[in-house]
Amino acid sequence: FTWLGVDATGWETQENWVGNTVPIASSNVVIPTSSAYTYEATLPTTTINSITIAAGAVLNGGSSTLTLTQSATSSGSTWENDGTFIAGTGNVIFANTGNPQTIAGGSATVFNDLTINGSNTVTLGRNTTVGGTLTFTSGNLAIGSNTLTLNGSLVNTSGTLTGSSTSNLTIGGTGLNQALNFTSGARSLNNLTLSTSAATATLGTALDVYGNIQLNDGTLALGGLNLTLKSNTTNTASIDKLNAGGSNLTGGTNVTVERFIKLRATVNGTGTGNGGRAYRALASTVTTGTSINANWQEGLTNTIAGTNLVPASPYQNFGVQITGVGGSGSGFDVTQNNQASLYTFTNGSDIAGSTGYPAVDNTNTNTLNALTGYFLYIRGDRNTSMQIPYNPAGGMPTSSTTLRATGTVQTGNKILPISGTSGHVSMITNPYPAPLDWQAIYSGNSTIITSSYTRWDSNNGTEGGFVTVDQSGFPYTEAVGRYIQPGEAFFVHSIGAGSEVLITEAMKAVGFSTNVIYRPTTSFESFSTELYLTEANAIRHSADGLLVKYHNNYSAAVDADDADEMNNWNENIAISRSAHHLAIEARPVIVSRDTIPLLMNGLRQTNYEWVFTPSMFSNTALKAELVDRFLNTRTLLSVTDSVVVPFTVTANAASADTNRFMVVFSPLVPLAIDGLSISAQAKTNGVLVNWSAQKETAMDRYELERSFTGSDFIKINTTAAIGNSAVAVNYNWLDGRPQAGINFYRIRAVDKAGQVKYTNVVKVNTGRSTPSLTVVPNPITGNTINLQLSDVDKSHYTLLLYNNLGQQVLMTGFDHGGGSVTKSIAAGNALSNGIYRVVLMNETGTSITTTLIKN
């Protein structure tokens, strides 16, 4: 080889080595930039102090053994790698003689075999892969904030891995043939991954995981050793999907699952400060063999009322004080009145409020079951003072805390019993240490439960409240609403077709853990209503909320697209429709008129605020008003912007009347046009759309709009209006390019002043579909009934109307030319407020029925 010389530090520098081999005598080797060198199999064992590989350089191990040690003047041997190390088939030995050593620099290193042979630590400074055997003769390998990938076997005499909450361990190949042992005091990982179907791993010591365990098709054997899934303010650890035919977790009988309980927010789920104490709907995620007290109470009990006997350490930030009848003799923390703070739920309770919440009677004898949900009043951690009385202006002392329970972790399919009676609700749990996707749960159980579920939101009201959530996750963001969190209990609504809900591993949605709950805006056509109150301590809370979604695929009748409201313990609002109290209602798009009959109960004598928020209204030519029957006022709302309306409940009982308020929609400004109607019928060459006006005054044009979804309309034709006519004017246009299947049509009428009026929407199926009948809007407020006929055959029809006593109150007839049309029927004075059955019968006696509500 050719020498360039020796620098002042004694390091060898070289221009090149003959044969590109590392010299045997070198104690400090530098591989220069963009070079490639090999320590060859033919060379004897090479022992050096340090290796530095410059960026772009490559060191190929061949099949030799390379031992890294350190000199007397060095603080430790360093493997500096800004370039790439390719292991070949050789072995690298870190032989520690007393000082730490480091694998530092660069982005990645790949070893064939790696031996840790020393009493101290070798620290990874970058992502590192061992393709062959990792041998621990002694000492330990510190992963740091990197990923260590082990694709071969493990030979362990007395060495250990040192991990942290930012360390990642990936096991590939055929897995490890010896147990994973972690250094005492550093038994932590962020993520543990088995990357191949053949990978196996066995835990040799306790381990804390802060991120995710992903097994793919491999097997992780815990052997009864303690695995702790950590939870903190930013994340809750999870176990990813276990595939029925592959991945497996065994020996999971000593798993500790933590659940961080965030300090209650001050304003609508956001903000800082003490938002007060509240209930949570929780599940343990493990089935324990020890008591509730041993887990959620940290095995402690306050035995004297008004005295906190728990030292500040180590229980600060952990556990909760649970109270109940029987005091400390029953495992509870003693208070002056021993009021219960832990409850279960009686499945099969109805939604109207006659729900059962039995208190847990003993925390010393009762254990936790992962399939049982609980209501737990969170006062704070075990160190939260129970001695300070309630202060209306300052609230109660509280804190965030972490609950932890140890037992058998749940894996595989889980069957959760529910009430099989339609309209009943049941509390079930997320049994897994991972988020669940509600869309997947509903898809797998759509014949058993409704498409919406109900959760308990601790940020509602003064103690928490029920919030019903639809498939999109509304009224939360998708990650918070659609994904049910580990450790969360929730409520499903039965449709009376079964008494069991199936939860499977495939329903897990790892990556959507969150410890924050808040309210966003919607992303579809809707009108939401929220009720707010401000407490004496000036904290403003959302007490309850509801939502109406609008789409022409929805029916005005109450069906599976609607969601019943669960009655809150305090303030409660709902939509009163067809003897149902709804939290979410799905209705056709408003054409000209509609109502939202608001129901409220549980209100106190204080000040409240309504917040009305429209979203993406397609028909902005609507006027929205809040009707207040107590004050006899009408407050203008909006279909484009949020509006806040304050009101007060006083000692006058009428101010808290259940039916005090109603939202009414009507045309913003009436057009100079009468009797605008539309019909449509499928033809062999397209869809023929007909529309007519009984008379016209200063009309400009008619725009025909079509939609394939029922909400996203586009203009497909413009027809000039005659302008002025005292007699009926008829128009038509043939849509020669409808889609196969369902098509929606409406007319946008524009007068010369630029004012707009819409017809009803008609639905046409270019294939044959089942005839249908809908009342739009429903409820009606006047004495005119708009019947929307879809794909109804040509015939003379008789319309019959029956009240809830079965008495016929109206009979009339009309001719229908076939297809889809909206017919307006004048009922005169025949209708009083109530619910009616509508029967439409043709000449052959075939009938279609629907329901009508008159307000």
Side-chain angles (χ1 to χ4, degrees):
F1 48 85
T2 303
W3 291 99
L4 290 182
V6 179
D7 64 17
T9 63
W11 282 58
E12 293 180 358
T13 59
Q14 58 275 352
E15 179 178 1
N16 61 76
W17 291 321
V18 177
N20 286 338
T21 58
V22 177
I24 299 173
S26 178
S27 63
N28 298 290
V29 175
V30 177
I31 307 298
T33 303
S34 302
S35 301
Y37 293 92
T38 304
Y39 59 95
E40 298 288 357
T42 55
L43 295 175
T45 297
T46 302
T47 301
I48 60 177
N49 176 56
S50 67
I51 294 180
T52 300
I53 306 176
V58 176
L59 179 61
N60 189 349
S63 57
S64 295
T65 296
L66 173 65
T67 300
L68 299 182
T69 182
Q70 75 287 316
S71 65
T73 58
S74 172
S75 61
S77 174
T78 300
W79 181 279
E80 291 283 359
N81 179 13
D82 291 324
T84 302
F85 174 72
I86 302 175
T89 58
N91 183 27
V92 175
I93 301 173
F94 280 85
N96 197 306
T97 59
N99 292 315
Q101 300 185 84
T102 304
I103 303 172
S107 59
T109 288
V110 179
F111 292 104
N112 178 45
D113 295 332
L114 176 63
T115 299
I116 308 300
N117 182 14
S119 59
N120 287 311
T121 301
V122 174
T123 301
L124 300 184
R126 61 180 175 274
N127 297 336
T128 300
T129 298
V130 179
T133 300
L134 174 63
T135 301
F136 280 117
T137 305
S138 61
N140 57 76
L141 178 61
I143 303 172
S145 298
N146 305 290
T147 297
L148 172 63
T149 301
L150 304 179
N151 289 331
S153 60
L154 175 67
V155 176
N156 194 348
T157 303
S158 62
T160 58
L161 289 173
T162 297
S164 70
S165 61
T166 59
S167 301
N168 301 307
L169 176 62
T170 298
I171 297 169
T174 58
L176 305 180
N177 59 341
Q178 283 190 253
L180 287 167
N181 294 319
F182 288 84
T183 308
S184 179
R187 294 171 175 171
S188 301
L189 289 175
N190 180 31
N191 298 313
L192 173 60
T193 303
L194 272 59
S195 62
T196 64
S197 59
T200 61
T202 301
L203 200 61
T205 60
L207 177 64
D208 295 343
V209 173
Y210 288 80
N212 182 38
I213 296 176
Q214 183 177 354
L215 302 184
N216 294 308
D217 289 332
T219 298
L220 175 63
L222 300 181
L225 293 173
N226 182 238
L227 170 69
T228 299
L229 301 175
K230 304 292 289 184
S231 181
N232 53 43
T233 187
T234 58
N235 189 58
T236 295
S238 57
I239 297 177
D240 216 326
K241 297 175 183 178
L242 302 178
N243 302 322
S247 58
N248 193 20
L249 187 147
T250 63
T253 58
N254 189 21
V255 176
T256 299
V257 174
E258 296 185 353
R259 177 71 253 185
F260 177 77
I261 307 295
K262 185 178 178 65
L263 181 68
R264 207 164 88 110
T266 57
V267 181
N268 194 28
T270 61
T272 58
N274 175 8
R277 301 174 178 182
Y279 282 90
R280 265 72 168 191
L282 300 172
S284 61
T285 311
V286 293
T287 297
T288 67
T290 53
S291 67
I292 295 174
N293 178 280
N295 291 277
W296 284 352
Q297 291 172 267
E298 296 290 322
L300 302 167
T301 305
N302 290 343
T303 58
I304 302 174
T307 301
N308 190 334
L309 301 181
V310 181
S313 179
Y315 302 105
Q316 188 171 3
N317 304 322
F318 285 98
V320 68
Q321 297 179 65
I322 302 178
T323 57
V325 177
S328 59
S330 298
F332 296 114
D333 295 293
V334 173
T335 62
Q336 290 183 344
N337 58 14
N338 285 337
Q339 175 68 41
S341 66
L342 180 63
Y343 301 85
T344 56
F345 181 81
T346 303
N347 285 350
S349 301
D350 63 44
I351 300 168
S354 56
T355 47
Y357 302 94
V360 172
D361 60 3
N362 194 308
T363 63
N364 279 336
T365 58
N366 285 296
T367 58
L368 292 168
N369 189 316
L371 305 186
T372 299
Y374 300 88
F375 276 108
L376 176 58
Y377 188 62
I378 301 292
R379 296 177 170 95
D381 63 20
R382 288 292 306 176
N383 288 287
T384 299
S385 175
M386 301 275 280
Q387 304 173 37
I388 301 175
Y390 176 71
N391 179 355
M396 296 287 282
T398 184
S399 70
S400 299
T401 189
T402 299
L403 300 182
R404 43 191 177 186
T406 301
T408 300
V409 70
Q410 302 302 297
T411 60
N413 294 349
K414 296 298 171 184
I415 296 175
L416 288 82
I418 65 168
S419 169
T421 302
S422 180
H424 278 190
V425 294
S426 300
M427 179 188 255
I428 63 175
T429 68
N430 176 354
Y432 304 130
L436 288 175
D437 185 347
W438 169 249
Q439 290 185 5
I441 296 173
Y442 173 65
S443 177
N445 297 276
S446 60
T447 61
I448 309 297
I449 55 178
T450 66
S451 60
S452 300
Y453 76 96
T454 298
R455 79 183 317 161
W456 179 265
D457 189 337
S458 64
N459 291 319
N460 268 20
T462 56
E463 296 178 310
F466 294 108
V467 177
T468 300
V469 183
D470 70 5
Q471 280 201 74
S472 70
F474 182 89
Y476 304 97
T477 61
E478 182 179 83
V480 184
R482 175 178 166 184
Y483 300 100
I484 298 164
Q485 298 304 302
E488 183 176 5
F490 60 103
F491 301 84
V492 293
H493 303 244
S494 174
I495 61 175
S499 58
E500 293 178 339
V501 169
L502 177 65
I503 305 293
T504 70
E505 291 276 350
M507 296 172 183
K508 287 181 177 178
V510 171
F512 290 96
S513 289
T514 179
N515 294 318
V516 181
I517 292 178
Y518 57 97
R519 300 288 184 114
T521 58
T522 63
S523 58
F524 44 83
E525 185 163 350
S526 65
F527 195 85
S528 66
T529 302
E530 284 196 273
L531 178 68
Y532 282 84
L533 79 156
T534 301
E535 299 179 56
N537 58 9
I539 294 176
R540 182 174 181 261
H541 286 294
S542 173
D544 202 7
L546 55 85
L547 170 73
V548 184
K549 301 188 295 184
Y550 298 101
H551 193 288
N552 284 318
N553 282 340
Y554 294 139
S555 167
V558 176
D559 56 22
D561 290 321
D562 306 301
D564 289 299
E565 167 83 358
M566 286 188 65
N567 209 66
N568 280 329
W569 301 343
N570 296 308
E571 288 83 2
N572 189 77
I573 62 172
I575 302 165
S576 179
R577 194 84 75 183
S578 301
H580 287 262
H581 296 167
L582 303 177
I584 298 176
E585 185 179 21
R587 295 181 65 76
V589 173
I590 303 173
V591 175
S592 59
R593 299 182 185 276
D594 205 356
T595 61
I596 304 174
L598 299 175
L599 176 146
M600 63 185 192
N601 56 46
L603 274 66
R604 292 163 279 180
Q605 293 181 24
T606 188
N607 296 320
Y608 292 94
E609 290 176 321
W610 291 114
V611 178
F612 300 101
T613 304
S615 175
M616 300 177 65
F617 262 63
S618 58
N619 183 3
T620 57
L622 285 174
K623 177 173 65 176
E625 295 176 289
L626 178 66
V627 177
D628 186 337
R629 295 186 179 97
F630 172 62
L631 297 179
N632 293 317
T633 60
R634 299 174 75 96
T635 302
L636 186 63
L637 306 178
S638 173
V639 294
T640 57
D641 300 297
S642 291
V643 175
V644 178
V645 180
F647 72 97
T648 302
V649 174
T650 67
N652 188 332
S655 68
D657 185 79
T658 298
N659 299 308
R660 175 178 170 177
F661 294 101
M662 172 186 284
V663 177
V664 177
F665 297 95
S666 60
L668 185 61
V669 179
L671 281 180
I673 188 171
D674 275 341
L676 184 62
S677 61
I678 183 174
S679 64
Q681 190 170 16
K683 302 290 186 180
T684 56
N685 57 343
V687 174
L688 181 63
V689 183
N690 300 280
W691 68 97
S692 65
Q694 291 183 10
K695 63 179 181 179
E696 291 183 1
T697 304
M699 289 303 299
D700 181 69
R701 65 189 184 275
Y702 297 97
E703 297 175 352
L704 175 61
E705 297 181 343
R706 180 185 64 197
S707 170
F708 297 146
T709 65
S711 60
D712 304 317
F713 283 88
I714 60 172
K715 181 173 67 176
I716 60 173
N717 169 261
T718 299
T719 299
I722 290 176
N724 295 283
S725 176
V727 297
V729 184
N730 299 311
Y731 302 87
N732 65 73
W733 192 76
L734 179 68
D735 178 13
R737 302 181 65 180
Q739 73 169 356
I742 301 296
N743 298 265
F744 300 88
Y745 298 92
R746 70 183 182 188
I747 294 295
R748 182 176 185 264
V750 184
D751 70 8
K752 293 186 181 300
Q755 298 179 80
V756 175
K757 181 176 183 178
Y758 286 88
T759 64
N760 293 317
V761 175
V762 292
K763 180 172 67 174
V764 178
N765 192 341
T766 55
R768 185 60 176 159
S769 65
T770 303
S772 65
L773 172 68
T774 307
V775 177
V776 180
N778 195 11
I780 67 173
T781 56
N783 290 310
T784 299
I785 305 170
N786 292 317
L787 297 177
Q788 188 175 84
L789 283 64
S790 297
D791 295 304
V792 175
D793 291 335
K794 178 180 180 181
S795 181
H796 177 79
Y797 284 89
T798 300
L799 177 70
L800 302 169
L801 209 62
Y802 298 90
N803 63 19
N804 58 3
L805 297 178
Q807 300 168 326
Q808 180 182 305
V809 296
L810 178 66
M811 181 174 70
T812 187
F814 60 85
D815 291 319
H816 173 51
S820 301
V821 70
T822 298
K823 292 283 188 180
S824 294
I825 306 297
N829 297 321
L831 301 184
S832 57
N833 290 351
I835 302 174
Y836 297 86
R837 183 165 64 97
V838 183
V839 179
L840 185 65
M841 184 180 300
N842 68 12
E843 294 170 304
T844 66
T846 303
S847 63
I848 313 171
T849 64
T850 189
T851 299
L852 177 152
I853 303 169
K854 168 67 184 299
N855 284 336

